[in-house]
Amino acid sequence: MSHDGLLSAPDYIKHHMAHLQSTKMDTIVDFSVLNYDTLFFSILMMVLALFLLRSAAKKATSGVPGKFQCAVEMLVEMVHNQAKTIVHGDITFVAPLALTVFCWIVLMNAIDLVPVDLFPVIAHMGGVEYLRPLPTADLNGALGMSLGVLILLFYYSLKIKGLGGFVHELFTAPFGNHPAVWVFNFLLNVIEYIAKFVSLGMRLFGNMYAGELIFFLLALLGGFMLELGPVGAVGAGIGQVLAGLAWWLFHVLIILLQGFIFMMLTLVYIGQAHSSH
């Protein structure tokens, strides 16, 4: 039994949702606080994603490809076709960016498939009291990634349209260039940029946060088995295994879907930067 076995259900969930932080965070999102676990697992999954892609590139052959090379080639082709369709411009950087974003987010999300007590118990054995290994269930991390996409959106808008063109569009779209509607155009565009930033991060965070919470609840079901009689314990145990397996398999689809959605919206936003209203 792990050290969490003596905790009540609310305390168990509260403990597992606490981060290894630089200082105590009083709100759900605070960019002045460093969540060391989010940083560590995000960087680790990024390194793993780059390693896997580089390994596939080094092992690529013109002959009959292996299963891994075939899977990577299909993924690269899919992402390249999406980038070419959505972004009407040079995709030399954009397509690899989209591929990296997809692989990175999928690998981060996949941490949720690891038993929820494994990493916290290992951390506890090393003297670390709190550890939350799922980076995408941390709103700071999710909004940080969406902020990166927003910065790229501004970069490509300035690169394609120039400073004058970007400012002109900011004040004249979508209602026209009459001075009377400049303020309304500007406010609407600012709201649109904020909505893109918030919705992109919140969508990823919300789905992974909910999935993580369900895994916690399923793990608690196993603890409740100890308080039941023999028949009830067996029934609860079978129920936990079946429910856990069903949710695990369904969650694999969520993991892939969230990575795909984030990648597609990244391409859509960059594509919008290449076009005019």
Side-chain angles (χ1 to χ4, degrees), residues 128-150:
V128 177
E129 184 62 25
Y130 297 105
L131 185 73
R132 191 177 179 190
L134 186 58
T136 47
D138 178 8
L139 187 55
N140 293 277
L143 287 180
M145 287 183 284
S146 65
L147 178 61
V149 175
L150 184 66

Side-chain angles (χ1 to χ4, degrees), residues 79-97:
V79 174
H80 184 270
N81 290 335
Q82 293 293 339
K84 185 169 59 175
T85 302
I86 297 173
V87 181
H88 302 294
D90 184 13
I91 60 172
T92 305
F93 174 78
V94 175
L97 169 69

Side-chain angles (χ1 to χ4, degrees), residues 41-214:
F41 285 101
S42 296
I43 295 172
L44 180 63
M45 292 300 102
M46 171 61 78
V47 171
L48 179 59
L50 295 177
F51 172 77
L52 292 175
L53 293 174
R54 185 173 184 272
S55 298
K58 290 180 64 176
K59 296 178 180 178
T61 175
S62 58
V64 178
K67 294 180 180 180
F68 179 62
Q69 179 185 339
C70 185
V72 172
E73 287 180 352
M74 291 175 61
L75 177 61
V76 170
E77 183 179 1
M78 182 272 291
V79 174
H80 184 270
N81 290 335
Q82 293 293 339
K84 185 169 59 175
T85 302
I86 297 173
V87 181
H88 302 294
D90 184 13
I91 60 172
T92 305
F93 174 78
V94 175
L97 169 69
L99 177 65
T100 304
V101 165
F102 175 78
C103 294
W104 185 28
I105 292 180
V106 167
L107 287 176
M108 285 192 292
N109 290 348
I111 295 176
D112 208 18
L113 301 178
V114 177
V116 295
D117 284 314
L118 180 60
F119 287 122
V121 168
I122 294 175
H124 181 72
M125 294 171 61
V128 177
E129 184 62 25
Y130 297 105
L131 185 73
R132 191 177 179 190
L134 186 58
T136 47
D138 178 8
L139 187 55
N140 293 277
L143 287 180
M145 287 183 284
S146 65
L147 178 61
V149 175
L150 184 66
I151 291 173
L152 283 173
L153 172 59
F154 287 140
Y155 168 77
Y156 277 103
S157 293
L158 291 171
K159 179 181 179 180
I160 301 300
K161 304 167 187 174
L163 179 60
F166 175 72
V167 174
H168 178 268
E169 186 176 90
L170 200 61
F171 283 91
T172 60
F175 299 127
N177 58 5
H178 193 281
V181 295
W182 283 356
V183 174
F184 300 102
N185 287 330
F186 176 77
L187 290 177
L188 188 63
N189 280 298
V190 169
I191 292 173
E192 181 182 355
Y193 284 124
I194 294 175
K196 288 178 179 178
F197 162 65
V198 174
S199 64
L200 185 61
M202 286 293 293
R203 180 183 292 104
L204 177 63
F205 161 75
N207 282 276
M208 298 312 300
Y209 182 92
E212 182 187 42
L213 188 59
I214 291 177

